[in-house]
Amino acid sequence: MSELFDAVDALIASRSPLPPPAERKRLRQAHGLTLDEVAAALQVRRATVSGWEAGKTEPRPPERDAYARMLKQLAQLYPAGAPVPPEDTAIPETPAVAAAPAPSAVEPAPARSAPTGPAAEPANTALRPAVSRPAAATRPASRRPAARKAASAGTTEAGTDPRFENGPLAVVDVDADGQVLAYCVGGLILDVTAKSLPALVEWTLREGRLGQPKLSGPGKDADPLIVLTEAACEHYGLPTTLTKEERLAGRIPEGHKVIKQLTRANWQLTKRGFGPWARIYRPAQGSERSCVQVCIPSWDALDARHWADAAQLPPVELARLLGTYAARVMTPRGSTAVTGLELMTALHPPTRASQPDADGRRHSEHNPGSLGKDPVDCAPCEAPDGHPLLADLPRFHQRTPAEVLVEEAYDWARPLTDAECLHPHLVGIDVNMAFAAGANGLMVGLGAPTHVKNPVFDAKLPGSWLVDLSHVDLSRVKVGKDKWADLDASLLPGPFTPKGESPEGPAWYATPTVAYAVELGYEVRPIEAWVRYDNGRYLDAWYNRLRDAYLATMADLGLTADLPPQEFLKAMDGYRQRDPQLAIVVSAVKATVKGGIGKLRERPRGEGWKPGQPWRALARPTWRPDIRAAVISRTRINMHRKIVKHAAFTGQYPVAILSDCAVYASDGPSPLDFLPYRDGKPLPGGFKLGVNPGLVKHEGTQSVLWAEGVREQFNAPELNLARHIKDGTVTDQDTGE
């Protein structure tokens, strides 16, 4: 009978009455709720809620009933005709978190208005973080009337929490009069009274009101970030640049006077010392943390490969740029790679508070779905050379594919055929956020591996498998249910190795690679495996956060998901010039993806390490080469699947592939000249133009004559053209000469 009642309840919920779309938005804004807060409560995407409010889509059970319930309660609080506070949705809001008690009252730091004029206002106001709280929720009164105006001009999502009302970070600079200023997001500028670096740390924690709310319930709030300009470094006794020895060491000497000042004030540094990214802290007292992060751009903290010229930006612009990244990803914790790894932990903290025991006390316990707080050993085949698990191997031993798991991105090329030489162009297409797309929905191991002999392959079980895939014949593959295709295998890369070579016998593969062999229609019989029965979709929240950050920033640059192919290509042309600072945010988000995946198998970094000895990264629970291998395996397989679909449908084959870029011969210079679009619709399962992760964009076009010329010039018949298709530049270093 209860099942019947449940069915009736579900039927009623499916027809829960909803107000018109415009009213839904009015009610949400009237209560000061952001799209992300509603999405987090209903466990849907931000874009889904936005679609409901725009009338593009309608909610379905079970979300519909909960959404209707929320709107009904809001309608009682805010009847029709009630005023609605303005909302700026330039930046997506962070998920709602539990309200925290306000800190003890301290006098707010003096503030002033941001300077006006062309230098202070970027061309695109999307870098100005949004205000999305009720009008009644204002900042504490300042000692300057001008400061109240500046304070109300803008803040970050973190501004909804009174503890962090000045945003996640500040860029500290010294003006011409010697006054120390802290440039916060939203154009707010605070007067800093600290005369020394220890005093600046104290000021940041007591008066700065900087930081960011935690991204997950069991997690921790982000520590405030202070970015020191060259003038600020000089003011506080730090060098403006590092010497060659200091750059190699990654820090200033332990005996530096500033480090002595910190020590006398009972502040400590982490083991990496005082370098471009430093953490200054005192041991936590209960749940109270006293920690400040310091970033010094002039010490190369902001890698130009990912942050372009951000280090040279004026303080107000740098604060806006880093504030946008912090709001959409998280407060930087170091390089983009370090931040990518820290984001995984922030979204899946290793521990949580238990239910109260008999005495009403809570204890720390494992947080399900996380990697835990203790590292686990990898399988021997997953260990990189020099790992302690391999200490007994003979010196200079070269492991074979049957001894080591090698899952890397594609680096493959072949000579052009005579028919391809008759085409005038070579066109490169690049997969957006390829490694992020590879992580989406991927089952990965959470615990230690279990060794199994002669296992039956299970595509849903994460692990490493020793299996012979040499019998897989790419000349005849399965491309659909009961549908096979005949292909020219000599023009295709093999899917099982980074170089596209066919395996010659048993080798170790991650689960996605072996699953693809089954998908192609071939039987697999593993010899042995290291599998992880404790598993889950650990990277899903990480992917969602970075995807949303990428899409929101691209939308600010005029690239939305609903653009038709031709308009998308037009919008992509020169998009970085529309707002160079937002383009830097895009680059940093993409680097966060790649770097975070790479950090899962971080190698020794000096430190006097010798082969066979452990290195520092092995002590992290997030040192997981198996997860890295699974993501790269799935990314490479995703690329091969699209290539096979394209070849089966069009008879066209790639001439080069580098990671997420594929190059095709074409009669025209545009991807639309060879991608099989029909009535604006792409080939199902093939390449599709668009901004979403997993879709492709135009990477570059060169002539076939250029390709043959550079290969002949450098005597490299299989030079990977995908590496140079973007700008056509090839050097001796690129060819290994």
Side-chain angles (χ1 to χ4, degrees):
M1 184 64 71
S2 61
E3 294 180 356
L4 294 176
F5 288 167
D6 291 341
V8 170
D9 291 343
L11 182 62
I12 294 174
S14 69
R15 300 295 188 271
S16 296
L18 295 172
E23 178 67 3
R24 303 169 195 175
K25 182 175 183 179
R26 184 193 73 81
L27 291 172
R28 174 179 63 79
Q29 292 180 342
H31 200 60
L33 297 175
T34 67
L35 288 170
D36 277 286
E37 288 173 332
V38 175
L42 299 177
Q43 298 181 1
V44 297
R45 293 176 52 193
R46 181 181 190 271
T48 301
V49 180
S50 179
W52 295 345
E53 292 186 354
K56 295 181 179 179
T57 59
E58 286 295 308
R60 294 182 295 181
E63 293 84 6
R64 184 184 180 97
D65 191 34
Y67 188 47
R69 180 185 179 90
M70 180 193 75
L71 294 175
K72 181 179 179 181
Q73 294 180 11
L74 292 177
Q76 294 174 352
L77 294 173
Y78 307 100
V84 178
E87 179 183 46
D88 180 357
T89 57
I91 290 181
E93 304 295 321
T94 53
V97 296
S104 57
V106 295
E107 187 169 358
R112 61 179 68 179
S113 300
T116 60
E121 292 298 326
N124 189 322
T125 57
L127 281 173
R128 184 184 300 280
V131 179
S132 53
R133 52 180 169 170
T138 58
R139 295 174 182 269
S142 173
R143 289 180 292 200
R144 298 187 183 185
R148 286 196 291 273
K149 181 179 179 181
S152 63
T155 182
T156 63
E157 288 85 351
T160 58
D161 189 321
R163 298 172 300 159
F164 313 129
E165 65 175 344
N166 292 334
L169 55 89
V171 179
V172 177
D173 190 32
V174 181
D175 66 12
D177 297 328
Q179 174 64 49
V180 182
L181 305 173
Y183 293 81
C184 305
V185 295
L188 179 68
I189 305 177
L190 306 177
D191 288 335
V192 180
T193 57
K195 303 299 183 184
S196 66
L197 191 64
L200 176 63
V201 175
E202 295 278 3
W203 176 90
T204 302
L205 293 171
R206 295 182 181 277
E207 300 180 51
R209 295 188 179 178
L210 299 169
Q212 191 175 38
K214 56 191 176 183
L215 297 180
S216 175
K220 299 175 181 177
D221 297 326
D223 297 317
L225 172 63
I226 294 296
V227 183
L228 300 180
T229 65
E230 290 189 39
C233 286
E234 189 174 357
H235 180 84
Y236 288 116
L238 291 167
T240 56
T241 59
L242 298 180
T243 65
K244 181 178 179 181
E245 293 75 16
E246 290 169 344
R247 285 199 304 271
L248 291 174
R251 65 182 74 186
I252 58 177
E254 295 294 330
H256 194 280
K257 63 178 182 180
V258 171
I259 296 182
K260 292 181 179 179
Q261 291 174 359
L262 292 169
T263 302
R264 286 195 296 269
N266 296 320
W267 290 106
Q268 300 180 28
L269 294 165
T270 57
K271 290 183 179 180
R272 63 182 175 184
F274 204 125
W277 290 91
R279 294 181 66 79
I280 304 173
Y281 72 98
R282 287 178 179 144
Q285 300 294 326
S287 61
E288 293 295 323
R289 289 164 54 87
S290 296
C291 182
V292 172
Q293 300 178 90
V294 177
C295 167
I296 306 181
S298 63
W299 293 8
D300 298 327
L302 300 176
D303 191 328
R305 293 172 299 175
H306 314 313
W307 293 100
D309 61 350
Q312 282 73 51
L313 289 175
V316 65
E317 304 300 335
L318 181 58
R320 286 171 176 156
L321 188 153
L322 293 177
T324 301
Y325 178 88
R328 294 179 173 177
V329 180
M330 69 180 300
T331 303
R333 297 285 299 272
S335 66
T336 51
V338 169
T339 303
L341 199 67
E342 291 289 341
L343 181 61
M344 296 180 194
T345 303
L347 294 168
H348 285 289
T351 59
R352 68 178 184 182
S354 68
Q355 294 296 321
D357 59 16
D359 298 326
R361 297 180 179 177
R362 296 180 183 268
H363 308 276
S364 177
E365 66 178 13
H366 173 71
N367 183 27
S370 75
L371 298 181
K373 62 179 182 179
D374 299 315
V376 297
D377 286 335
C378 62
C381 62
E382 299 163 351
D385 292 341
H387 192 280
L389 287 175
L390 310 176
D392 294 335
L393 288 179
R395 192 178 182 187
F396 305 122
H397 174 74
Q398 295 292 323
R399 291 190 289 169
T400 67
E403 295 175 295
V404 59
L405 174 71
V406 181
E407 293 285 10
E408 299 294 343
Y410 267 129
D411 186 354
W412 170 87
R414 63 169 175 81
L416 275 68
T417 65
D418 291 343
E420 288 167 341
C421 287
L422 297 178
H423 295 287
H425 302 285
L426 291 178
V427 182
I429 52 176
D430 180 78
V431 180
N432 300 318
M433 300 270 283
F435 292 101
N440 182 27
L442 179 65
M443 294 291 291
V444 300
L446 301 178
T450 300
H451 188 230
V452 184
K453 286 283 191 179
N454 299 315
V456 176
F457 177 69
D458 183 353
K460 297 181 180 179
L461 187 59
S464 301
W465 309 78
L466 180 62
V467 58
D468 188 352
L469 299 180
S470 60
H471 63 290
V472 176
D473 183 6
L474 292 180
S475 63
R476 184 165 176 77
V477 296
K478 198 173 184 180
V479 293
K481 186 177 181 181
D482 301 326
K483 185 177 180 180
W484 291 73
D486 294 321
L487 305 174
D488 188 344
S490 66
L491 302 180
L492 280 173
F496 308 126
T497 62
K499 291 294 184 180
E501 303 162 342
S502 297
E504 298 179 353
W508 286 98
Y509 305 100
T511 297
T513 302
V514 185
Y516 186 57
V518 176
E519 180 184 326
L520 292 176
Y522 292 89
E523 183 182 12
V524 297
R525 294 181 179 178
I527 301 168
E528 60 177 299
W530 289 89
V531 296
R532 289 170 169 82
Y533 295 110
D534 179 13
N535 54 66
R537 293 168 60 160
Y538 174 73
L539 295 174
D540 273 11
W542 182 80
Y543 163 78
N544 290 335
R545 181 81 177 173
L546 291 166
R547 174 206 60 201
D548 290 349
Y550 173 76
L551 291 179
T553 311
M554 292 298 280
D556 290 338
L557 289 165
L559 289 141
T560 57
D562 57 353
L563 287 176
Q566 192 66 51
E567 293 184 26
F568 169 72
L569 291 175
K570 184 178 180 180
M572 281 293 298
D573 188 20
Y575 79 94
R576 292 181 176 275
Q577 282 67 50
R578 291 184 206 129
D579 191 316
Q581 292 181 32
L582 275 178
I584 294 175
V585 175
V586 172
S587 296
V589 171
K590 293 194 290 187
T592 303
V593 173
K594 288 188 176 181
I597 296 299
K599 273 281 185 180
L600 291 168
R601 199 192 67 165
E602 183 178 357
R603 304 300 302 275
R605 305 176 63 184
E607 308 166 3
W609 174 82
K610 294 181 179 179
Q613 295 180 347
W615 58 92
R616 186 182 302 173
L618 299 186
R620 295 195 319 248
T622 49
W623 192 84
R624 294 295 301 271
D626 57 299
I627 297 180
R628 174 188 178 273
V631 173
I632 295 177
S633 164
R634 193 165 187 238
T635 303
R636 191 183 67 248
I637 294 306
N638 285 346
M639 173 67 86
H640 196 273
R641 184 182 291 112
K642 295 182 190 313
I643 289 169
V644 167
K645 291 278 188 180
H646 186 86
F649 188 80
T650 68
Q652 298 170 336
Y653 297 83
V655 300
I657 306 174
L658 182 67
S659 186
D660 46 11
C661 175
V663 176
Y664 282 85
S666 171
D667 288 330
S670 168
L672 287 175
D673 291 319
F674 73 92
L675 292 181
Y677 272 81
R678 287 185 176 178
D679 299 325
K681 295 182 179 179
L683 171 68
F687 295 109
K688 178 182 178 181
L689 290 165
V691 71
N692 284 324
L695 305 189
V696 300
K697 62 179 180 295
H698 185 203
E699 179 68 4
T701 297
Q702 303 296 331
S703 69
V704 169
L705 291 177
W706 162 84
E708 293 302 304
V710 296
R711 283 180 166 178
E712 182 178 348
Q713 175 186 350
F714 293 100
N715 192 25
E718 294 190 1
L719 175 71
N720 194 328
L721 301 172
R723 192 184 305 275
H724 315 287
I725 195 71
K726 191 167 190 175
D727 58 14
T729 303
V730 185
T731 65
D732 289 339
Q733 185 177 3
D734 296 327
T735 61
E737 297 193 9

